[in-house]
Amino acid sequence: MVAAAPSGKKPLPDMMTSIRIDKSGQVEIVDQLLLPHSVVWMPVSTPQEAFDAIKSMRIRGAPAIASLAALSLRSYLSSSSGPSFSSSSEAIKWIHETADYLQSSRPTAVNLGEAMDRIRLVLKQAEGEGKSVDEIVEKIKTVCGDVHEEDLERNMEMGRLGAEWLWKKRGGNGKKGIKVVTVCNTGSLATSGYGTAIGVITALFEADQLDTAYYAQTTPYHQGSRLTSLELTTLQIPACMICDTMLGSLFQHEDIDGVIVGADRVVKNGDTANKIGTYQAAVLAQRHNIPFMVAAPVTTIDLSLATGKEIHIEHRPSVEATQVRGLNIETGKLSVVRITPEGVGEGDKPWQRVYNPSFDVTPAELISCVVTEKGVAERKEGEKNIDVASIC
C-alpha cells in the first residue's frame, strides 16, 4: 500500500510505506533502523519473523506493528510451508498460541492486543459453532487483512477531525497558518498510511492552514530526526527539527498553537501512554496555555484500564541509549558509534546504570482533547478526566 499524499502532490515513494505486499502475497517491511540513509526491504513470512522485527524495532508505531503481526499470520496460514491441522481444535489451539506470542512482542501498544483479540474472538465463535478447519483458517485470514486495510481510511478521517478542531481553537483572526509541535514518528511509517498526529499535520497542510510543524528528535532512537524528518521533507511540509530539551525555549519564543501527538494506549479516564518525552511536552504546553492533542484510532483506546497507573511500560535495552546509528560522512557508510564511556549500561556497578523506558504516561488533566476517527473528546474546564468512551 502506498501512503496517501496531500492533494496536488505526487504519490509518496515506496520508502514512505512501512509495509508492502507483492502480487504473490509476500509481506515486506522497510527496515526502519536503517532509515533515512538506507532503504532496505525485508521479507516477513512467518509470525516468528514478525515477532523479531517488532521486538527489534525494525518496524514500530502501534498501528503498523498490529498490521504486520496480522499480515504475518495470514501469510503463514496461506503458505505451502505453513502449518497443517488435523482438526479444528488443533487449528484453534495453534492460532491462539501464535496470537499470544505475537502480542508479547510489544506489550504497551494496545493496537497489537486489539488485533489479536479480534483473532481470538473468531476462534471463540468458531469453537462454539463447530466450524471446519478450512472455515476457521479462511475467516482468520480475512480478519488479518481487515486489520491492515482499515487503518488508512480511519487515519485520514482522524486527520481531518483533528485539523478542524485545532483550526477552530487557534486559527482565524487574520492568521494564515498555525504552528504545531509533534513528538516521535506518527506518519505513514508508523501506520498503514497517512498517520495519526502527522495525519493531522498533513490535513492542516492540505487546507493551507499550517505555518510550521516543529518535531522533536525523540531520543534515544531518534524517531523524530530520522523518520518524521524523512516524511515531512518528502511531503515538502514546512518543518523545523528541535532537540527534545529545546521544547521549553521554543514555547517561550515562538507562538505555538498546538502540540499534536499519537498514542500507544489511551485508557478509560484519558491518561495516555506514548513515546518517552510526551509527558514533559504536555507539562510545558499547559504552562504556556498551548492546546495538547492526542490523535489515535479507536483501536488504541483501552477501556479495560481505569487509569494510566495500570499501563505496563516497556523498558528497552541500555545499548539503545548508549549507542547511535548514522551515516559516516567520511566513508559514506552506515556506522554505529558509542556516545557514552565504555561500560555504561553494560555492567552491574551503581555508576553504570541506564534508565531507558520506551514510553511515559501523560495524565488526562494535561490533555486538551483526544481525537479518533469517531470524533473529538475534549477535557472540560476544571475536570481531570476525558470521556474517551464517547469516541469509540
Side-chain angles (χ1 to χ4, degrees), residues 182-365:
T182 192
V183 174
C184 196
N185 171 252
T186 60
S188 55
L189 290 171
T191 65
S192 297
Y194 207 71
T196 55
I198 292 295
V200 176
I201 291 171
T202 303
L204 287 166
F205 177 61
E206 287 184 278
D208 293 324
Q209 295 172 338
L210 181 72
D211 181 301
T212 305
Y214 295 87
Y215 57 97
Q217 283 185 321
T218 316
T219 57
Y221 245 62
H222 294 267
Q223 288 100 325
S225 51
R226 292 189 304 108
L227 307 179
T228 299
S229 60
L230 176 62
E231 291 179 338
L232 294 178
T233 54
T234 301
L235 288 166
Q236 299 182 359
I237 291 177
C240 179
M241 187 186 78
I242 61 170
C243 298
D244 300 349
T245 51
M246 296 173 183
L247 274 170
S249 176
L250 182 72
F251 291 168
Q252 284 181 324
H253 298 290
E254 292 287 342
D255 181 21
I256 302 300
D257 296 292
V259 178
I260 311 170
V261 302
D264 286 81
R265 189 180 296 255
V266 181
V267 299
K268 189 174 183 178
N269 73 337
D271 291 353
T272 297
N274 193 47
K275 181 55 59 182
I276 193 74
T278 302
Y279 171 58
Q280 65 191 33
V283 171
L284 287 165
Q286 188 171 86
R287 165 70 177 173
H288 292 273
N289 297 312
I290 298 171
F292 189 94
M293 174 190 296
V294 173
V298 166
T299 51
T300 304
I301 309 296
D302 183 2
L303 299 179
S304 72
L305 302 184
T307 74
K309 293 180 180 179
E310 300 175 55
I311 300 174
H312 172 75
I313 298 298
E314 175 189 5
H315 283 248
R316 300 291 300 177
S318 298
V319 68
E320 295 179 4
T322 61
Q323 298 179 9
V324 65
R325 185 195 309 268
L327 184 68
N328 186 318
I329 59 176
E330 295 180 353
T331 66
K333 297 181 180 180
L334 291 178
S335 300
V336 176
V337 299
R338 177 189 295 279
I339 55 174
T340 61
E342 189 171 352
V344 172
E346 298 175 348
D348 56 3
K349 300 293 191 297
W351 53 85
Q352 294 178 317
R353 295 179 295 171
V354 172
Y355 178 68
N356 190 26
S358 192
F359 308 95
D360 55 30
V361 176
T362 300
E365 62 185 295

Side-chain angles (χ1 to χ4, degrees), residues 29 31 33 42-44 46-60 65 68-69 72 101-102 104-106 221 316:
I29 62 167
D31 187 343
L33 295 179
M42 298 173 48
V44 176
T46 69
Q48 290 75 22
E49 291 174 351
F51 180 97
D52 291 341
I54 294 168
K55 190 72 175 176
S56 64
M57 292 183 67
R58 284 182 167 80
I59 187 169
R60 24 70 51 207
I65 64 177
L68 178 63
S72 73
Y101 170 70
L102 286 166
S104 69
S105 60
R106 292 299 299 276
Y221 245 62
R316 300 291 300 177

Side-chain angles (χ1 to χ4, degrees), residues 1-12:
M1 180 183 295
V2 176
S7 55
K9 304 284 184 179
K10 296 179 180 179
L12 303 183

